[in-house]
C-alpha cells in the first residue's frame, strides 16, 4: 500500500510547530507550572459576565453557532463605529491570518515581516508557499521604513506589522502608521495585527480610513478580553476585502458558546478597564523585579515585558530553562537581537511573587 | 486607492456559502423557529457531565487550549484502539476536511464525490482549485462502484464517501467499504466521513487497517455527542498521514473548554446509549408522521430521515417553505433525485408534535 502523494507544496512543508504549548513542557517536567506567564494569556480572566454566559450557554452547545456571527459582528461594528459587513469573525487572529494569507499569497509571492516577529504568521506564509522577506528590528522596534522599502524592492503582496509588537512589546507612533499606509506600494496589503492594542494607551491608536482596501486590521478576544481558550478574533477593513473571507473561511467554524460570550465580554467595558489597570501594575512590577536583579526591562504597551538578560541568546535560554525548573513558564524571542531577552507575561501578584523569588536564583544558576 | 489583487485562484472563487444558518432564516422571518430540526444537530444535547465540564472550565477560558490536544487524543486513541499519533483533532469535521483537501489537492486535481453529497466538502475542493467529478446516487445510496470507476477514469487524488450518508441517511454494507478500500486506485485517498456513525448499528462499522495510508476516517463530537456548537472533530489513520496535518493545521485553533468537554463526553458512553435510543425512536416517529401524510420515508442510519414528498424538487421546496412558515426548520437535498425529499432531523417529542401538526398543513398548502 503506497502512501498517496501530497501536493508538491504540502510535501515539502516542514513539520514545524509555531509554539510548544505549556502543557507539553509540563508533561516533560512531570509537574504543572506554578506561574503560567509565558503565552501572553490574560491571567486576570474574562469578564465575570462572560464566564456566566459560557455557563448559561453550556446546555445549548448542541446547536451550531450562527455561521454569520451576525449579532457579534453587529456588536463589534457598533463598538468600532463601522458597518457590520466591514468586520469578519474568525477562529482567533491565528485563523484569520491563515485566511488572509490564503487570499493574497500564492507560491513564490513575497511577504514582508520583521525578523523575529510572530512565528504563526510566518507559518501560514510558508504553508501557502510564500517567500518571507525579513527586516531586522531597529532599537527593539519593528522598522516601518525598512518594511516599506523591502516591500517595494521585493514587490511584496503583504506586509505584516504588529502594533504593539510581539515579542518586544514596543509600539509605533500613530502618525508613523498613518504615513506607512499612505506610502504602501501598489498592490500590497498591510496586515495590522492589533491583538495587544487594548493594553496600550488610546493615544497610540492610528486612524486608518475603513474604506482603504489595502489595510486589514485584526483584533482579538484572546488578550485584553481574557478569552484565549475560546478562539474568537476579528478582522476589519474595506467591505469588499472583508467579503472575500467568505469565499474561503470555515463558515461553521465558530464556536456557539464563544460567540455569545465574546459579545457579552465586549459589552463589559468596565471589566476591560479593570484588566488594563491590573496589567499596567503588573508591567511595573515585572520591570521592578527585573531591575532588582540588574536587568533591563523594555518598555511595553502590551500585557508582557521583554527583559534584557544582559547576555546572548544562549544565556537568555539558560535563564528561561532555570525559570522552568522553578515552575515558572515564560517564553523568549526566537532570534537575535531580541533573543537576549526573556518575555514575561503580566501576572497576578502571586505569579509575580514567584517570579521575584525565582528570577535571582535562575540568573545565578544560568551564570554558573 | 486600488484594491490589492487576490491570488488568481481566490479571485475567481464564488462567494457561495455551503449552508444558510437557521438564525439567518429566523432574522428573515422575524421570529424564532419552534422546532429546530433541520441541521442534523442532536437536540438531545451533550452529556450532563460534559455540560458541567463546560461550566466548570468557564473561568479558565483565559488559557489557550493544549495545541497538541494530548489528553483528548489519548482518550480517543483508547476509545478507538489505536495509538495517539494516529489521531488528529480539529475544528469539526468541516475544518478537518479543509485540511485534508489542502494536503492532497492542488489546482486542476480531480476529486470524486456523489452528486448531492456534503456541500461543505465541495466548498473546500473548489476553494483549493480542485475539479469535482460527481457521480449520481443509485437508489438513494452513494454508488461505491461508480465512485471507484470515476476515480480511476479521472485519476482522482481523493474520493469522498459519507457513511451513513448525508443527506439521504442511507448506509453501506461494511464488506462493500472494505472491498472499496482494497480496490482504491493508485495514489488516491479515501476520505471516509463517519460523522453519523454512532447513530448506526455497530454491525455496519467497516474494518479498515489503521496502517493503510490511503484512508482517512473522520468522526465528530457534533452529532451523537451533541456538541455541534463546540467544534470538535477528529481524523484517524496511518500515522505519517495524520502527522501531515501538523504541517498546515491551526495549532492553537482548538477551544480549550471544548477539548475538555469532549473528553468528558467521550467517557460518558451511557449518555451516548441514551441518545442513540432517543434518536431511534425519533426516526420511527418521523417515518410514522410522513406515512400518515402518505409520504415515503427513506430508511436511515443517521439522526435524520429524508422523506420523499412524492413530487419534484420544486414541490419539496414548497413543502419546506410551508414548514418554515409554520416555524419548523428543516432542510432538503440540493440536487435531483434527492431533492424530491425534505430532510428532517430526529427531534424531541415536542419538536415532532409540531412536525405532525405542521406537515399535513404544509403539504396541503404546497399542493395548492
Amino acid at each position: 500500500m503506497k502512501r498517496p502523494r501530497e501536493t508538491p507544496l504540502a510535501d515539502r512543508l516542514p513539520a514545524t510547530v509555531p509554539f510548544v504549548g505549556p502543557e507539553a513542557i509540563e508533561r516533560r517536567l512531570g509537574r504543572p507550572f506554578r506561574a503560567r506567564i509565558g503565552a501572553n494569556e490574560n491571567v486576570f480572566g474574562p469578564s465575570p459576565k462572560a464566564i456566566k454566559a459560557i455557563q448559561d450557554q453550556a446546555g445549548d452547545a448542541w446547536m451550531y453557532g450562527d455561521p454569520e456571527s451576525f449579532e457579534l459582528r453587529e456588536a463589534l461594528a457598533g463598538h468600532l463605529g463601522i458597518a457590520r459587513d466591514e468586520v469578519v469573525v474568525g477562529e482567533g487572529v491565528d485563523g484569520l491570518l491563515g485566511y488572509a494569507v490564503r487570499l493574497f499569497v500564492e507560491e513564490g509571492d513575497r511577504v514582508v515581516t520583521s525578523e523575529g516577529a510572530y512565528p504563526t504568521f510566518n507559518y501560514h506564509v510558508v504553508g501557502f508557499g510564500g517567500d518571507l522577506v525579513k527586516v531586522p528590528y531597529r532599537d527593539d522596534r519593528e522598522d516601518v521604513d525598512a518594511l516599506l522599502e523591502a516591500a517595494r524592492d521585493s514587490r511584496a503582496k503583504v506586509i505584516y506589522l504588529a502594533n504593539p509588537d510581539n515579542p518586544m512589546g514596543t509600539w509605533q507612533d500613530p502618525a508613523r502608521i498613518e504615513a506607512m499606509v499612505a506610502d504602501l506600494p501598489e498592490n500590497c496589503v498591510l496586515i495590522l495585527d492589533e491583538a495587544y492594542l487594548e493594553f496600550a494607551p488610546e493615544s497610540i491608536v492610528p486612524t486608518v480610513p475603513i474604506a482603504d482596501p489595502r489595510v486589514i486590521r485584526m483584533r482579538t478576544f484572546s488578550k485584553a478580553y481574557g478569552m484565549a481558550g475560546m478562539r474568537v478574533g476579528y478582522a476589519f477593513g474595506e467591505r469588499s476585502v472583508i467579503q472575500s473571507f467568505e469565499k474561503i473561511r470555515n463558515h461553521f467554524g465558530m464556536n456557539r458558546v464563544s460567540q455569545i460570550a465574546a459579545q457579552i465580554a465586549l459589552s463589559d467595558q468596565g471589566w476591560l478597564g479593570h484588566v488594563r489597570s491590573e496589567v499596567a501594575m503588573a508591567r511595573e512590577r515585572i520591570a521592578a523585579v527585573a531591575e532588582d536583579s540588574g536587568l533591563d526591562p523594555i518598555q511595553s504597551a502590551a500585557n508582557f515585558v521583554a527583559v534584557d538578560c544582559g547576555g546572548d541568546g544562549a544565556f537568555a535560554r539558560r535563564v528561561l530553562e532555570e525559570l522552568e525548573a522553578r515552575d515558572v513558564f515564560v517564553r523568549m524571542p526566537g532570534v537575535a537581537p531580541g533573543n537576549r531577552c526573556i518575555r514575561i507575561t503580566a501576572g497576578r501578584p502571586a505569579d509575580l511573587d514567584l517570579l521575584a523569588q525565582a528570577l535571582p536564583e535562575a540568573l545565578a544558576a544560568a551564570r554558573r
Side-chain angles (χ1 to χ4, degrees), chain A residues 73-87:
Chain A
R73 285 165 56 229
E74 188 86 352
L76 285 166
H79 180 72
L80 297 166
I82 60 175
R84 193 182 58 249
D85 58 358
E86 291 164 336
V87 59

mmCIF file of all heavy atoms in Angstrom, chain A residues 73-87:
data_model
loop_
_atom_site.group_PDB
_atom_site.id
_atom_site.type_symbol
_atom_site.label_atom_id
_atom_site.label_comp_id
_atom_site.label_asym_id
_atom_site.label_seq_id
_atom_site.Cartn_x
_atom_site.Cartn_y
_atom_site.Cartn_z
ATOM 1 N N ARG A 73 -20.949 40.401 15.145
ATOM 2 C CA ARG A 73 -20.448 41.391 14.188
ATOM 3 C C ARG A 73 -21.185 42.714 14.336
ATOM 4 O O ARG A 73 -20.582 43.796 14.230
ATOM 5 C CB ARG A 73 -20.549 40.853 12.762
ATOM 6 C CG ARG A 73 -19.472 39.816 12.450
ATOM 7 C CD ARG A 73 -19.793 39.025 11.191
ATOM 8 N NE ARG A 73 -20.004 39.875 10.056
ATOM 9 C CZ ARG A 73 -21.052 39.795 9.220
ATOM 10 N NH1 ARG A 73 -21.995 38.871 9.404
ATOM 11 N NH2 ARG A 73 -21.158 40.606 8.207
ATOM 12 N N GLU A 74 -22.473 42.638 14.587
ATOM 13 C CA GLU A 74 -23.256 43.859 14.830
ATOM 14 C C GLU A 74 -22.688 44.609 16.046
ATOM 15 O O GLU A 74 -22.509 45.831 16.007
ATOM 16 C CB GLU A 74 -24.715 43.452 15.075
ATOM 17 C CG GLU A 74 -25.693 44.580 15.157
ATOM 18 C CD GLU A 74 -26.228 45.027 13.802
ATOM 19 O OE1 GLU A 74 -25.725 44.545 12.761
ATOM 20 O OE2 GLU A 74 -27.122 45.868 13.799
ATOM 21 N N ALA A 75 -22.399 43.862 17.097
ATOM 22 C CA ALA A 75 -21.858 44.494 18.306
ATOM 23 C C ALA A 75 -20.474 45.073 18.046
ATOM 24 O O ALA A 75 -20.152 46.183 18.496
ATOM 25 C CB ALA A 75 -21.810 43.472 19.452
ATOM 26 N N LEU A 76 -19.641 44.329 17.311
ATOM 27 C CA LEU A 76 -18.296 44.827 17.008
ATOM 28 C C LEU A 76 -18.368 46.080 16.130
ATOM 29 O O LEU A 76 -17.601 47.036 16.333
ATOM 30 C CB LEU A 76 -17.479 43.741 16.296
ATOM 31 C CG LEU A 76 -16.979 42.616 17.198
ATOM 32 C CD1 LEU A 76 -16.491 41.433 16.358
ATOM 33 C CD2 LEU A 76 -15.856 43.123 18.113
ATOM 34 N N ALA A 77 -19.281 46.056 15.166
ATOM 35 C CA ALA A 77 -19.424 47.216 14.282
ATOM 36 C C ALA A 77 -19.800 48.451 15.100
ATOM 37 O O ALA A 77 -19.244 49.537 14.901
ATOM 38 C CB ALA A 77 -20.465 46.933 13.206
ATOM 39 N N GLY A 78 -20.732 48.264 16.039
ATOM 40 C CA GLY A 78 -21.105 49.375 16.902
ATOM 41 C C GLY A 78 -19.927 49.864 17.728
ATOM 42 O O GLY A 78 -19.681 51.071 17.849
ATOM 43 N N HIS A 79 -19.172 48.913 18.252
ATOM 44 C CA HIS A 79 -18.005 49.246 19.073
ATOM 45 C C HIS A 79 -16.965 50.020 18.270
ATOM 46 O O HIS A 79 -16.338 50.955 18.780
ATOM 47 C CB HIS A 79 -17.420 47.946 19.619
ATOM 48 C CG HIS A 79 -16.214 48.111 20.486
ATOM 49 N ND1 HIS A 79 -16.279 48.624 21.759
ATOM 50 C CD2 HIS A 79 -14.909 47.828 20.259
ATOM 51 C CE1 HIS A 79 -15.061 48.643 22.277
ATOM 52 N NE2 HIS A 79 -14.216 48.176 21.392
ATOM 53 N N LEU A 80 -16.767 49.619 17.013
ATOM 54 C CA LEU A 80 -15.713 50.205 16.183
ATOM 55 C C LEU A 80 -16.204 51.418 15.385
ATOM 56 O O LEU A 80 -15.401 52.101 14.756
ATOM 57 C CB LEU A 80 -15.170 49.153 15.202
ATOM 58 C CG LEU A 80 -14.496 47.919 15.813
ATOM 59 C CD1 LEU A 80 -14.328 46.828 14.754
ATOM 60 C CD2 LEU A 80 -13.138 48.285 16.412
ATOM 61 N N GLY A 81 -17.511 51.620 15.371
ATOM 62 C CA GLY A 81 -18.048 52.710 14.563
ATOM 63 C C GLY A 81 -17.968 52.434 13.069
ATOM 64 O O GLY A 81 -17.715 53.339 12.259
ATOM 65 N N ILE A 82 -18.161 51.183 12.694
ATOM 66 C CA ILE A 82 -18.140 50.808 11.275
ATOM 67 C C ILE A 82 -19.413 50.015 10.977
ATOM 68 O O ILE A 82 -20.284 49.872 11.846
ATOM 69 C CB ILE A 82 -16.883 49.971 10.926
ATOM 70 C CG1 ILE A 82 -16.821 48.668 11.759
ATOM 71 C CG2 ILE A 82 -15.616 50.798 11.151
ATOM 72 C CD1 ILE A 82 -15.679 47.735 11.371
ATOM 73 N N ALA A 83 -19.514 49.494 9.754
ATOM 74 C CA ALA A 83 -20.693 48.717 9.380
ATOM 75 C C ALA A 83 -20.429 47.227 9.596
ATOM 76 O O ALA A 83 -19.273 46.784 9.617
ATOM 77 C CB ALA A 83 -21.050 48.967 7.920
ATOM 78 N N ARG A 84 -21.517 46.470 9.741
ATOM 79 C CA ARG A 84 -21.388 45.043 10.026
ATOM 80 C C ARG A 84 -20.616 44.297 8.935
ATOM 81 O O ARG A 84 -19.863 43.366 9.211
ATOM 82 C CB ARG A 84 -22.774 44.430 10.211
ATOM 83 C CG ARG A 84 -22.754 43.043 10.811
ATOM 84 C CD ARG A 84 -24.160 42.454 10.923
ATOM 85 N NE ARG A 84 -24.800 42.399 9.628
ATOM 86 C CZ ARG A 84 -25.829 43.137 9.248
ATOM 87 N NH1 ARG A 84 -26.375 43.991 10.087
ATOM 88 N NH2 ARG A 84 -26.332 43.031 8.028
ATOM 89 N N ASP A 85 -20.785 44.693 7.691
ATOM 90 C CA ASP A 85 -20.097 43.974 6.616
ATOM 91 C C ASP A 85 -18.657 44.461 6.420
ATOM 92 O O ASP A 85 -17.994 44.077 5.466
ATOM 93 C CB ASP A 85 -20.898 44.018 5.311
ATOM 94 C CG ASP A 85 -21.169 45.432 4.857
ATOM 95 O OD1 ASP A 85 -20.763 46.377 5.564
ATOM 96 O OD2 ASP A 85 -21.771 45.591 3.790
ATOM 97 N N GLU A 86 -18.190 45.267 7.349
ATOM 98 C CA GLU A 86 -16.772 45.651 7.343
ATOM 99 C C GLU A 86 -15.974 44.875 8.383
ATOM 100 O O GLU A 86 -14.797 45.159 8.615
ATOM 101 C CB GLU A 86 -16.645 47.169 7.580
ATOM 102 C CG GLU A 86 -17.181 47.970 6.382
ATOM 103 C CD GLU A 86 -17.443 49.439 6.658
ATOM 104 O OE1 GLU A 86 -17.657 49.822 7.843
ATOM 105 O OE2 GLU A 86 -17.484 50.216 5.691
ATOM 106 N N VAL A 87 -16.611 43.885 9.009
ATOM 107 C CA VAL A 87 -15.910 43.075 10.019
ATOM 108 C C VAL A 87 -16.251 41.599 9.812
ATOM 109 O O VAL A 87 -17.394 41.244 9.494
ATOM 110 C CB VAL A 87 -16.254 43.559 11.456
ATOM 111 C CG1 VAL A 87 -17.741 43.486 11.746
ATOM 112 C CG2 VAL A 87 -15.480 42.779 12.511
#
